Amino acid sequence: MKYSEIMVRYGELSTKGKNKKDFIKQLGHNVRKALQQFDDVEVKAQHDRLHVTLNGADSAAVMDRLGGVFGIENFSPSVKVEKDIDAIKATALAMVKEIFKPGMTFKINTRRQDKAFEYDTNHLNDLLGGYILENVPGIQVKMKKPDLTLRVEVRMNGVFLSGQTIQGAGGLPVGTGGKAVMMLSGGIDSPVASYYAMRRGVKLDMVHFFSPPYTSEQALAKAKELTARMAGYSGGIQFIQVPFTKIQETIKEQVPEGYLMTIQRRLMLRLTAAIAEMRHAKGIFNGESLGQVASQTLESMMAINDVTTMPILRPLLSMDKTEIIKVAEDIDTYDLSILPYEDCCTIFTPPAPKTRPDLEKSRKYEKYIDVEGLMKEALDGITITDIRPNDKFLNQNEDVFAELL
């Protein structure tokens, strides 16, 4: 079937009050950004629906992109025909035959914007339903929960028919929930936390700490490619890489072994908060899950959070690892996350880190290092990369993918 339009429904977005138009405007912007590779596609974000006019573009490729745009509840590929009853009947029949399987039930659901059209909704339902019953042997009418609902919209500019409803990503349009930064490691958890943050409309910048020569270029490339996969939900993300080698070496030399991890995390959070302020972000997201590792106990969180008053948001806090892995598989980040390139969180890890660090001792041991000087040097050395959906950084390592998968 050659589709002419994708009709998009808003879902949660439709419940918004006086600021609904701002949400719709942002969604329209995000959809245009997601579809910018399709030169001829037109996007019209209206009060009740968003319409994507294909103008000959590949409908399957367009729908694949729409499936990752937050704020879309579902969408339907549609065919436009003239306001001629014979043309409407022919298209309805062809659409049903394309989808039909033995024993299938159906109904017609007509909406009429053009009140001057000669057939009202009930009459059109009856005409089309009867025509399909006559010409599709074995099909049956069922008004409640049919296998197929053929939607017919009589608008001012033509009649639009659709027989499929495809689930969208849901949530809120990215950009309507404010701006925050994400502490992105190369592991499984932080991309999943990023997904949940963006699903609530938050625009993210990714902050990644790297420690050459202890961490490899492949580890950095993996973090960038994870960002590229997440960028599919927002149209693009800025990746901020922070040099962390000197800070880690200094902490290892100056701080008691049991507190290496706590002081390291305090410095990471200090730097992330400073970057967030520089970029006018209002919060910090991370991938912590309560009790998963030593730095994610309540005592550790209190000792680490002490360095900033900025909100620290943990979408995965109460999830267990199997739940997180399932989401990572669903959003296509798991295969990347398990690649064996270590990030800076895994180096210099003491054999027995404090799982319940004391806050006062944490403050005391942090004073053993030049916090301000080290932070300034790290902030002066940051590099920012604009990353687009599906940018590639690990192509040279396809043999590693094949071995692991």
mmCIF file of all heavy atoms in Angstrom, residues 272-299:
data_model
loop_
_atom_site.group_PDB
_atom_site.id
_atom_site.type_symbol
_atom_site.label_atom_id
_atom_site.label_comp_id
_atom_site.label_asym_id
_atom_site.label_seq_id
_atom_site.Cartn_x
_atom_site.Cartn_y
_atom_site.Cartn_z
ATOM 1 N N THR A 272 30.438 17.555 37.664
ATOM 2 C CA THR A 272 29.177 17.499 36.930
ATOM 3 C C THR A 272 28.277 18.672 37.300
ATOM 4 O O THR A 272 27.639 19.282 36.433
ATOM 5 C CB THR A 272 28.458 16.173 37.202
ATOM 6 O OG1 THR A 272 29.326 15.086 36.870
ATOM 7 C CG2 THR A 272 27.181 16.064 36.391
ATOM 8 N N ALA A 273 28.228 18.994 38.595
ATOM 9 C CA ALA A 273 27.417 20.132 39.038
ATOM 10 C C ALA A 273 27.946 21.444 38.453
ATOM 11 O O ALA A 273 27.165 22.318 38.048
ATOM 12 C CB ALA A 273 27.398 20.193 40.563
ATOM 13 N N ALA A 274 29.270 21.580 38.385
ATOM 14 C CA ALA A 274 29.860 22.795 37.811
ATOM 15 C C ALA A 274 29.514 22.902 36.325
ATOM 16 O O ALA A 274 29.171 23.980 35.822
ATOM 17 C CB ALA A 274 31.375 22.769 38.009
ATOM 18 N N ILE A 275 29.588 21.786 35.614
ATOM 19 C CA ILE A 275 29.230 21.782 34.190
ATOM 20 C C ILE A 275 27.745 22.101 34.020
ATOM 21 O O ILE A 275 27.354 22.863 33.120
ATOM 22 C CB ILE A 275 29.577 20.413 33.564
ATOM 23 C CG1 ILE A 275 31.096 20.241 33.503
ATOM 24 C CG2 ILE A 275 28.971 20.276 32.173
ATOM 25 C CD1 ILE A 275 31.546 18.835 33.165
ATOM 26 N N ALA A 276 26.912 21.532 34.872
ATOM 27 C CA ALA A 276 25.474 21.804 34.799
ATOM 28 C C ALA A 276 25.188 23.296 34.974
ATOM 29 O O ALA A 276 24.379 23.880 34.239
ATOM 30 C CB ALA A 276 24.732 20.999 35.862
ATOM 31 N N GLU A 277 25.851 23.920 35.917
ATOM 32 C CA GLU A 277 25.657 25.368 36.130
ATOM 33 C C GLU A 277 26.138 26.162 34.925
ATOM 34 O O GLU A 277 25.479 27.117 34.492
ATOM 35 C CB GLU A 277 26.389 25.795 37.395
ATOM 36 C CG GLU A 277 25.756 25.269 38.682
ATOM 37 C CD GLU A 277 26.498 25.710 39.921
ATOM 38 O OE1 GLU A 277 27.470 26.502 39.787
ATOM 39 O OE2 GLU A 277 26.132 25.261 41.023
ATOM 40 N N MET A 278 27.270 25.770 34.376
ATOM 41 C CA MET A 278 27.801 26.461 33.193
ATOM 42 C C MET A 278 26.838 26.386 32.016
ATOM 43 O O MET A 278 26.746 27.315 31.211
ATOM 44 C CB MET A 278 29.151 25.848 32.798
ATOM 45 C CG MET A 278 30.306 26.135 33.748
ATOM 46 S SD MET A 278 31.713 24.989 33.523
ATOM 47 C CE MET A 278 31.963 25.032 31.775
ATOM 48 N N ARG A 279 26.100 25.286 31.945
ATOM 49 C CA ARG A 279 25.224 25.053 30.793
ATOM 50 C C ARG A 279 23.756 25.321 31.119
ATOM 51 O O ARG A 279 22.854 24.951 30.377
ATOM 52 C CB ARG A 279 25.423 23.623 30.298
ATOM 53 C CG ARG A 279 26.866 23.367 29.850
ATOM 54 C CD ARG A 279 27.078 21.938 29.397
ATOM 55 N NE ARG A 279 26.397 21.664 28.144
ATOM 56 C CZ ARG A 279 26.854 22.013 26.938
ATOM 57 N NH1 ARG A 279 27.984 22.679 26.809
ATOM 58 N NH2 ARG A 279 26.167 21.694 25.853
ATOM 59 N N HIS A 280 23.520 25.958 32.260
ATOM 60 C CA HIS A 280 22.172 26.380 32.681
ATOM 61 C C HIS A 280 21.224 25.194 32.819
ATOM 62 O O HIS A 280 20.025 25.300 32.523
ATOM 63 C CB HIS A 280 21.604 27.411 31.702
ATOM 64 C CG HIS A 280 22.512 28.570 31.452
ATOM 65 N ND1 HIS A 280 22.771 29.523 32.422
ATOM 66 C CD2 HIS A 280 23.255 28.926 30.362
ATOM 67 C CE1 HIS A 280 23.631 30.430 31.931
ATOM 68 N NE2 HIS A 280 23.932 30.080 30.693
ATOM 69 N N ALA A 281 21.757 24.047 33.246
ATOM 70 C CA ALA A 281 20.937 22.871 33.512
ATOM 71 C C ALA A 281 20.398 22.945 34.934
ATOM 72 O O ALA A 281 20.994 23.584 35.811
ATOM 73 C CB ALA A 281 21.748 21.597 33.322
ATOM 74 N N LYS A 282 19.284 22.271 35.168
ATOM 75 C CA LYS A 282 18.599 22.371 36.462
ATOM 76 C C LYS A 282 18.690 21.104 37.310
ATOM 77 O O LYS A 282 18.115 21.058 38.402
ATOM 78 C CB LYS A 282 17.120 22.710 36.236
ATOM 79 C CG LYS A 282 16.879 23.959 35.392
ATOM 80 C CD LYS A 282 17.571 25.176 35.979
ATOM 81 C CE LYS A 282 17.297 26.413 35.110
ATOM 82 N NZ LYS A 282 18.076 27.590 35.572
ATOM 83 N N GLY A 283 19.388 20.090 36.826
ATOM 84 C CA GLY A 283 19.479 18.863 37.598
ATOM 85 C C GLY A 283 20.516 17.928 37.024
ATOM 86 O O GLY A 283 21.052 18.129 35.924
ATOM 87 N N ILE A 284 20.825 16.871 37.794
ATOM 88 C CA ILE A 284 21.799 15.857 37.408
ATOM 89 C C ILE A 284 21.123 14.493 37.470
ATOM 90 O O ILE A 284 20.538 14.139 38.495
ATOM 91 C CB ILE A 284 23.019 15.872 38.352
ATOM 92 C CG1 ILE A 284 23.745 17.222 38.277
ATOM 93 C CG2 ILE A 284 23.975 14.714 38.031
ATOM 94 C CD1 ILE A 284 24.781 17.421 39.371
ATOM 95 N N PHE A 285 21.201 13.743 36.378
ATOM 96 C CA PHE A 285 20.708 12.372 36.354
ATOM 97 C C PHE A 285 21.884 11.410 36.421
ATOM 98 O O PHE A 285 22.973 11.704 35.913
ATOM 99 C CB PHE A 285 19.920 12.094 35.068
ATOM 100 C CG PHE A 285 18.512 12.615 35.081
ATOM 101 C CD1 PHE A 285 18.241 13.953 34.806
ATOM 102 C CD2 PHE A 285 17.446 11.764 35.361
ATOM 103 C CE1 PHE A 285 16.935 14.429 34.804
ATOM 104 C CE2 PHE A 285 16.140 12.242 35.361
ATOM 105 C CZ PHE A 285 15.886 13.576 35.090
ATOM 106 N N ASN A 286 21.658 10.248 37.047
ATOM 107 C CA ASN A 286 22.650 9.176 36.964
ATOM 108 C C ASN A 286 21.933 7.829 36.934
ATOM 109 O O ASN A 286 20.709 7.760 37.030
ATOM 110 C CB ASN A 286 23.681 9.268 38.100
ATOM 111 C CG ASN A 286 23.092 9.036 39.478
ATOM 112 O OD1 ASN A 286 22.162 8.243 39.650
ATOM 113 N ND2 ASN A 286 23.642 9.707 40.474
ATOM 114 N N GLY A 287 22.708 6.761 36.787
ATOM 115 C CA GLY A 287 22.138 5.427 36.638
ATOM 116 C C GLY A 287 22.183 4.595 37.898
ATOM 117 O O GLY A 287 22.155 3.362 37.819
ATOM 118 N N GLU A 288 22.218 5.233 39.071
ATOM 119 C CA GLU A 288 22.339 4.483 40.322
ATOM 120 C C GLU A 288 21.061 3.716 40.657
ATOM 121 O O GLU A 288 19.944 4.211 40.471
ATOM 122 C CB GLU A 288 22.692 5.433 41.462
ATOM 123 C CG GLU A 288 24.102 5.996 41.344
ATOM 124 C CD GLU A 288 24.462 6.939 42.474
ATOM 125 O OE1 GLU A 288 23.549 7.426 43.171
ATOM 126 O OE2 GLU A 288 25.660 7.207 42.654
ATOM 127 N N SER A 289 21.270 2.506 41.175
ATOM 128 C CA SER A 289 20.188 1.648 41.662
ATOM 129 C C SER A 289 20.538 1.269 43.096
ATOM 130 O O SER A 289 21.632 0.760 43.350
ATOM 131 C CB SER A 289 20.066 0.406 40.782
ATOM 132 O OG SER A 289 19.140 -0.503 41.330
ATOM 133 N N LEU A 290 19.635 1.510 44.013
ATOM 134 C CA LEU A 290 19.935 1.384 45.438
ATOM 135 C C LEU A 290 20.471 -0.005 45.789
ATOM 136 O O LEU A 290 19.837 -1.020 45.503
ATOM 137 C CB LEU A 290 18.674 1.677 46.259
ATOM 138 C CG LEU A 290 18.850 1.775 47.778
ATOM 139 C CD1 LEU A 290 19.811 2.893 48.138
ATOM 140 C CD2 LEU A 290 17.510 2.004 48.458
ATOM 141 N N GLY A 291 21.660 -0.025 46.393
ATOM 142 C CA GLY A 291 22.251 -1.263 46.879
ATOM 143 C C GLY A 291 22.953 -2.098 45.832
ATOM 144 O O GLY A 291 23.477 -3.175 46.148
ATOM 145 N N GLN A 292 23.016 -1.621 44.567
ATOM 146 C CA GLN A 292 23.593 -2.453 43.505
ATOM 147 C C GLN A 292 25.104 -2.622 43.674
ATOM 148 O O GLN A 292 25.637 -3.710 43.482
ATOM 149 C CB GLN A 292 23.264 -1.854 42.144
ATOM 150 C CG GLN A 292 23.668 -2.737 40.977
ATOM 151 C CD GLN A 292 23.267 -2.155 39.632
ATOM 152 O OE1 GLN A 292 24.095 -2.048 38.744
ATOM 153 N NE2 GLN A 292 22.010 -1.777 39.461
ATOM 154 N N VAL A 293 25.803 -1.537 44.007
ATOM 155 C CA VAL A 293 27.245 -1.596 44.274
ATOM 156 C C VAL A 293 27.541 -0.748 45.496
ATOM 157 O O VAL A 293 26.667 -0.080 46.051
ATOM 158 C CB VAL A 293 28.063 -1.092 43.063
ATOM 159 C CG1 VAL A 293 27.862 -1.990 41.856
ATOM 160 C CG2 VAL A 293 27.703 0.345 42.712
ATOM 161 N N ALA A 294 28.823 -0.754 45.925
ATOM 162 C CA ALA A 294 29.201 -0.115 47.184
ATOM 163 C C ALA A 294 28.899 1.374 47.224
ATOM 164 O O ALA A 294 28.566 1.929 48.270
ATOM 165 C CB ALA A 294 30.692 -0.344 47.444
ATOM 166 N N SER A 295 28.998 2.045 46.062
ATOM 167 C CA SER A 295 28.782 3.500 46.045
ATOM 168 C C SER A 295 27.303 3.857 45.977
ATOM 169 O O SER A 295 26.961 5.034 45.929
ATOM 170 C CB SER A 295 29.514 4.122 44.857
ATOM 171 O OG SER A 295 28.970 3.637 43.641
ATOM 172 N N GLN A 296 26.418 2.847 45.970
ATOM 173 C CA GLN A 296 24.999 3.115 45.797
ATOM 174 C C GLN A 296 24.173 2.692 47.015
ATOM 175 O O GLN A 296 22.990 2.380 46.894
ATOM 176 C CB GLN A 296 24.508 2.442 44.513
ATOM 177 C CG GLN A 296 25.181 3.038 43.274
ATOM 178 C CD GLN A 296 24.828 2.344 41.974
ATOM 179 O OE1 GLN A 296 23.791 1.698 41.862
ATOM 180 N NE2 GLN A 296 25.677 2.472 40.967
ATOM 181 N N THR A 297 24.810 2.684 48.183
ATOM 182 C CA THR A 297 24.067 2.535 49.436
ATOM 183 C C THR A 297 23.579 3.912 49.867
ATOM 184 O O THR A 297 24.072 4.946 49.388
ATOM 185 C CB THR A 297 24.953 1.944 50.535
ATOM 186 O OG1 THR A 297 26.026 2.874 50.814
ATOM 187 C CG2 THR A 297 25.552 0.604 50.109
ATOM 188 N N LEU A 298 22.630 3.944 50.772
ATOM 189 C CA LEU A 298 22.136 5.241 51.255
ATOM 190 C C LEU A 298 23.250 6.042 51.914
ATOM 191 O O LEU A 298 23.331 7.274 51.739
ATOM 192 C CB LEU A 298 20.983 5.021 52.241
ATOM 193 C CG LEU A 298 19.641 4.631 51.630
ATOM 194 C CD1 LEU A 298 18.620 4.346 52.728
ATOM 195 C CD2 LEU A 298 19.118 5.710 50.693
ATOM 196 N N GLU A 299 24.123 5.358 52.672
ATOM 197 C CA GLU A 299 25.222 6.068 53.341
ATOM 198 C C GLU A 299 26.182 6.669 52.313
ATOM 199 O O GLU A 299 26.649 7.807 52.469
ATOM 200 C CB GLU A 299 25.972 5.109 54.267
ATOM 201 C CG GLU A 299 25.169 4.647 55.484
ATOM 202 C CD GLU A 299 24.299 3.438 55.197
ATOM 203 O OE1 GLU A 299 24.199 3.013 54.013
ATOM 204 O OE2 GLU A 299 23.710 2.914 56.152
#
